Amino acid sequence: VLRVFSWDGYVDQAEIKKINGILKEKGYAISVKLIQPNAEGPEQMFRVLRSGKADISFLTLNYIHMQDKKTARLLQAINVNSPRMPNYKLTNPALRNIPFGMDDHGKPLYVPWGGGAYGIWANMKLLKDADLPKSVHELWDPKWKGKLSLTKGQIQPNIALVMMAMGKDPFFLNNAGREALAKAVDPAGDIQKKTNELYQNVGFFWGGGPDFSKKDLVLVSSYGIGASAENRKGGKWKLLPLKEGNTVWLDTINIHKDVTGKKLEAAEIFINYWLGKDVQTRVVNGLGMVAASNDVKNPLLEENPDFFKKGFFWPPWKKQADNVMKKISDRAMKK
């Protein structure tokens, strides 16, 4: 059995039936099985991989190097030139060889599968193109007070908005030294003030997922999946193409270090199918994500060719920087 550890909806039973048919046809006495529970987050995924219960995983890229690369040590480098993986050549080159998805020898521990942005989506049933913020700075404009919604869960992308509005790299704090972090956490400092001002414009902080039903909220942050699902129900939400760009996330496919022989060959055949046109089309149309393959229509990429902007991928958060961002966000929430 080839055990697959996936986020909800990334692997469906009809596709498992197809891949099992392909493996049988090719002479492999191996079948794919989706394990439970589904992926939930970096710590849970690490525990499952460490226990040896999964052969293939769908790690979010920035999980691989988190906490001193502990998850990276459970994975093996993927032979992207394998004759069993021709669809890899159709993936977007911008999504390959991202440094924090590589092993110590510069070999990839992942193949790109699908991703999205943590961006602000505008309700185009109530707004016109001329109304839309063109720069991240405009989110602080008093005219959006009470009309903006951000997440209270993963606060790091919120702080990235603050950094961009201050003319800094979105992940400035993650890359900052001790002195810069000490300055950033100052309750009277510029970063705290700027975060306070942004949060004061927020009408609603969402938890598990964005809420698009509140009529006064016309600018709602989303990882993309929620907004796209809303559009399939008849909504008209559009990702703001802010000139600074949006921070982006990428979900990947990985192979456990203990997978060898025929099972490894079957894993490569699985990856190839999940990079193929049928599954990648579902990534776009069914999940509302941006597909890794250039072989399918990607509306968000067509609208913004710089969607996956270099340096804008969520990094592996460092513990000290994470603590500082949380402190800044918690203080701003209480204002």
Side-chain angles (χ1 to χ4, degrees):
V1 174
L2 188 67
R3 301 160 302 171
V4 177
F5 182 31
S6 160
W7 296 92
D8 185 29
Y10 281 17
V11 176
D12 74 27
Q13 290 304 320
E15 289 161 349
I16 288 178
K17 197 173 176 183
K18 281 183 186 169
I19 191 67
N20 283 340
I22 291 167
L23 288 169
K24 189 176 179 183
E25 196 179 287
K26 290 180 181 291
Y28 289 87
I30 293 167
S31 60
V32 169
K33 182 186 177 189
L34 187 62
I35 67 167
Q36 292 296 324
N38 288 320
E40 293 169 9
E43 282 303 318
Q44 176 248 14
M45 292 192 83
F46 169 73
R47 286 195 302 273
V48 170
L49 287 167
R50 184 179 57 182
S51 71
K53 291 176 181 170
D55 302 309
I56 286 177
S57 54
F58 281 78
L59 289 160
T60 302
L61 181 68
N62 64 325
Y63 293 1
I64 295 172
H65 276 202
M66 273 170 84
Q67 295 185 24
D68 194 31
K69 306 182 184 179
K70 65 181 187 181
T71 298
R73 289 192 281 276
L74 301 172
L75 306 175
Q76 64 176 279
I78 295 175
N79 176 14
V80 296
N81 297 311
S82 166
R84 286 169 288 277
M85 283 174 36
N87 288 333
Y88 181 80
K89 293 179 177 63
L90 300 173
T91 59
N92 184 336
L95 305 182
R96 305 176 202 159
N97 305 321
I98 296 166
F100 44 86
M102 313 299 276
D103 71 8
D104 293 339
H105 305 288
K107 305 272 182 161
L109 295 168
Y110 76 98
V111 298
W113 188 69
Y118 177 79
I120 310 296
W121 294 69
N123 188 348
M124 300 311 290
K125 285 186 175 178
L126 300 174
L127 298 172
K128 296 183 175 68
D129 277 329
D131 304 327
L132 302 181
K134 292 173 179 60
S135 163
V136 71
H137 297 270
E138 294 175 51
L139 298 176
W140 274 256
D141 192 310
K143 76 176 182 180
W144 302 118
K145 190 171 178 66
K147 297 178 180 181
L148 172 67
S149 178
L150 299 179
T151 174
K152 64 181 176 187
Q154 287 208 40
I155 52 84
Q156 300 91 344
N158 294 347
I159 302 299
L161 292 173
V162 175
M163 295 298 104
M164 288 192 279
M166 295 178 74
K168 298 181 187 294
D169 177 284
F171 310 119
F172 171 78
L173 292 179
N174 203 54
N175 302 319
R178 192 172 294 178
E179 198 177 315
L181 285 175
K183 195 176 174 185
V185 85
D186 178 359
D190 292 342
I191 292 174
Q192 186 67 63
K193 284 179 188 169
K194 195 75 176 168
T195 308
N196 294 349
E197 289 163 7
L198 175 65
Y199 279 25
Q200 279 156 24
N201 257 13
V202 174
F204 177 71
F205 284 94
W206 53 265
D211 187 339
F212 296 94
S213 66
K214 299 177 187 294
K215 289 188 169 58
D216 49 342
L217 298 174
V218 294
L219 298 179
V220 176
S221 71
S222 169
Y223 303 126
I225 296 173
S228 298
E230 191 64 22
N231 284 346
R232 287 196 298 278
K233 290 191 285 185
K236 201 177 176 187
W237 293 82
K238 173 184 172 180
L239 179 66
L240 294 183
L242 299 172
K243 69 177 186 184
E244 294 83 2
N246 291 301
T247 59
V248 291
W249 54 273
L250 179 67
D251 281 347
T252 69
I253 311 180
N254 331 90
I255 304 175
H256 194 278
K257 64 180 176 128
D258 294 338
V259 178
T260 57
K262 287 290 183 187
K263 205 168 184 181
L264 178 56
E265 291 180 13
E268 291 176 345
I269 293 166
F270 173 93
I271 288 173
N272 190 63
Y273 188 77
W274 257 255
L275 293 179
K277 198 160 192 171
D278 288 351
V279 177
Q280 288 286 293
T281 298
R282 185 173 65 81
V283 168
V284 177
N285 297 337
L287 295 170
M289 292 163 58
V290 179
S293 176
N294 284 335
D295 196 33
V296 301
K297 280 184 76 66
N298 257 325
L300 289 172
L301 267 186
E302 286 165 16
E303 204 170 293
N304 177 15
D306 290 331
F307 186 90
F308 288 117
K309 198 172 177 180
K310 197 175 179 185
F312 275 57
F313 282 98
W314 291 3
W317 310 116
K318 293 172 187 165
K319 195 168 186 181
Q320 197 177 358
D322 217 20
N323 291 341
V324 166
M325 288 187 273
K326 189 173 187 317
K327 195 168 277 190
I328 292 167
S329 183
D330 286 351
R331 280 198 203 119
M333 201 76 80
K334 289 172 185 167
K335 288 289 178 184

